[in-house]
Amino acid sequence: MNSNLLPVSQSDFTDYKKEMLEAFQKRAAAEFTDLDMEILPEEDIDRSLNTKGAIAYKAIDDDEMVGGAMVSDE
């Protein structure tokens, strides 16, 4: 197993957001069987990514993104 935590580049944002949206929706659907709403709107991710001082990271394991995080100094 080869794991790394790397900054998300501008060219990765589309795939990063897609993975985040799917992960949040899948987890919520597993918890709430009557779920009929979008858990994490893309606009929320965009707002976080565009926050001053924000940095997005992706967790990579054997060349596959397995997670991510956004942090901000604000």
Side-chain angles (χ1 to χ4, degrees):
M1 180 173 5
N2 184 16
S3 299
N4 289 299
L5 188 61
L6 305 170
V8 176
S9 67
Q10 191 75 27
S11 63
D12 290 332
F13 279 166
T14 299
D15 289 338
Y16 181 80
K17 291 191 305 184
K18 179 179 178 259
E19 293 286 333
M20 294 281 286
L21 292 167
E22 288 176 4
F24 273 78
Q25 198 67 34
K26 187 182 289 185
R27 180 64 182 155
E31 293 292 321
F32 305 100
T33 57
D34 61 346
L35 183 66
D36 188 27
M37 64 181 286
E38 184 180 43
I39 295 301
L40 180 63
E42 187 171 352
E43 297 82 29
D44 289 356
I45 297 173
D46 289 336
R47 187 172 32 256
S48 294
L49 289 171
N50 293 311
T51 298
K52 181 182 176 190
I55 302 173
Y57 291 95
K58 58 185 177 180
I60 303 294
D61 187 25
D62 291 330
D63 296 323
E64 180 180 339
M65 188 167 77
V66 295
M70 286 185 254
V71 295
S72 174
D73 61 4
E74 294 279 313

